[in-house]
Amino acid sequence: MASADIALFALDGSHSFGEKVAAVLDLPLSAHEERAFEDGEHKSRPLVNVRGRDVFVVHSLYSDTVQSANDKLCRLLFFLGALKDASAARVTAVVPYLCYARKDRRTKPRDPVTTRYIAALFEAVGTDRVVTLDVHNLAAFQNAFRCVTEHLEAKMLFAGHFAEQCRGEELVVVSPDVGGIKRAELFRESLAGVMGAPIGAAFMEKRRTGGVVSGEAVVGDVTGKVAIVIDDLISTGTTLSRAAKACKALGARRVYAAATHGLFIGRAGAVLAESGFEKIVVTNAVPPFRLEPDLVGRHLTVIDVVPLIAKAIARIHTGGSIVDLLTEG
């Protein structure tokens, strides 16, 4: 790809991921500066001319051992604003993991709707487009933003993986709660298309009261089948663990988990290891840095989303179809 009219940046917190995206695009990462001050404030600026260029900034907004999600968000927003002030023609934020996407509605009186506030912040600094991957609630994400949004999905990557792993077996896709049924159904359709065979569907009941999750019933037939529990993310692991144990109790032959974003908060690794999953499949949109290396080797499969992100950037730059990209096997 010619670099004269496009610039690709990756902020320090996502530099390694950005380098891989740049390699797929055959583009150099554009130089930038991030400087921290003694009082905890910071500044970011491009070190190349971006006037009139189509600019993409890769930065995933999860907390890690160096920066919190809030730190990463502020750095990204300030950098996007600096690009607009430097007369970039178009600025696109490529955010594989979007922080605060789960807080998309009021669940208690006077609750914040933080997803909407995040959208307002991106818009306030002049962001032209936001690209993200498998948000918690797609409708809430799309309705929160007034700037252009692109929602990428890992379902075809998961479908290809499980079609290879489970060829010739009877499968059932399980949503761990009622709220995830639509996501599970879209994945089930993709998997059935790749495998050329019918795939069953099931879901679990789930109740959350005072932070305590309950509900054990599974609606759908999992007996004698290979169950794939699908979700957008893994946090503490309790939701997926419940689903795995319930499927095993009902006679599922094997149980897999698939989630785009593996956060693995607290004891998530131990919780999932004790749940009887054959494997837990995640993407590298969030690296599994919180898990012990031996646990990653035994229980985790990590699927690379870099090519998907790179293809999306290329198509946005050239006016190609994102819809077609998301249906490619």
Side-chain angles (χ1 to χ4, degrees):
M1 181 179 292
S3 59
D5 59 348
I6 183 173
L8 177 66
F9 293 90
L11 296 189
D12 291 350
S14 297
H15 186 77
S16 177
F17 190 90
E19 282 187 320
K20 295 173 184 175
V21 173
V24 174
L25 290 170
D26 194 24
L27 277 176
L29 276 181
S30 295
H32 77 287
E33 176 191 30
E34 292 182 51
R35 181 181 173 189
F37 298 102
E38 292 80 359
D39 61 356
E41 295 181 1
H42 52 78
K43 76 168 185 179
S44 304
R45 66 183 179 114
L47 296 177
V48 297
N49 183 10
V50 297
R51 181 179 295 274
R53 299 174 77 184
D54 192 10
V55 181
F56 295 82
V57 184
V58 177
H59 201 39
S60 210
L61 301 179
Y62 57 87
S63 295
D64 58 27
T65 57
V66 178
Q67 296 176 1
S68 70
N70 296 330
D71 289 332
K72 290 184 176 182
L73 176 64
C74 277
R75 287 172 184 261
L76 176 59
L77 291 171
F78 297 164
F79 189 67
L80 295 171
L83 290 167
K84 291 298 287 189
D85 286 347
S87 300
R90 183 173 68 171
V91 175
T92 298
V94 182
V95 188
Y97 179 75
L98 180 64
C99 61
Y100 295 106
R102 285 180 282 177
K103 192 53 186 164
D104 54 32
R105 62 191 177 93
R106 291 189 179 93
T107 55
K108 295 180 180 179
R110 296 173 294 281
D111 251 5
V113 186
T114 316
T115 298
R116 180 158 53 83
Y117 312 153
I118 293 294
L121 290 170
F122 276 101
E123 291 155 7
V125 297
T127 310
D128 295 291
R129 186 185 306 256
V130 174
V131 180
T132 192
L133 176 68
D134 281 330
V135 294
H136 184 65
N137 184 327
L138 178 55
F141 166 72
Q142 292 174 332
N143 287 326
F145 284 81
R146 290 174 295 177
C147 67
V148 179
T149 59
E150 303 288 357
H151 182 255
L152 307 181
E153 300 169 353
K155 64 182 181 183
M156 292 303 298
L157 300 177
F158 287 133
H161 172 79
F162 285 110
E164 185 71 26
Q165 294 291 312
C166 306
R167 182 70 65 184
E169 299 193 79
E170 192 174 3
L171 305 182
V172 57
V173 172
V174 182
S175 173
D177 52 38
V178 174
I181 288 177
K182 181 63 175 178
R183 179 184 302 107
E185 178 59 17
L186 291 173
F187 170 62
R188 187 196 66 78
E189 291 174 356
S190 298
L191 182 58
V194 172
M195 298 192 71
I199 306 293
F203 69 91
M204 278 200 68
E205 66 167 336
K206 177 182 174 181
R207 298 184 295 275
R208 188 187 298 272
T209 305
V212 178
V213 176
S214 61
E216 307 297 331
V218 176
V219 179
D221 182 17
V222 300
T223 305
K225 300 180 181 180
V226 175
I228 303 171
V229 185
I230 185 82
D231 212 344
D232 62 309
L233 62 84
I234 301 171
S235 181
T236 61
T238 54
T239 295
L240 289 179
S241 176
R242 286 174 53 257
K245 291 176 179 178
C247 289
K248 295 287 278 188
L250 290 173
R253 291 178 56 201
R254 298 194 309 280
V255 183
Y256 292 88
T260 303
H261 307 293
L263 302 182
F264 300 114
I265 305 299
R267 292 188 64 255
V271 168
L272 293 168
E274 296 163 1
S275 300
F277 281 115
E278 187 78 12
K279 279 284 185 179
I280 299 160
V281 185
V282 296
T283 77
N284 59 344
V286 178
F289 63 91
R290 292 188 178 96
L291 297 181
E292 296 295 330
D294 65 319
L295 192 64
V296 172
R298 286 185 287 114
H299 293 284
L300 207 66
T301 297
V302 181
I303 292 178
D304 188 11
V305 294
V306 165
L308 175 65
I309 299 291
K311 289 177 183 177
I313 290 173
R315 293 195 183 201
I316 291 168
H317 177 60
T318 60
S321 171
I322 298 296
V323 173
D324 290 346
L325 172 63
L326 298 181
T327 56
E328 293 176 356

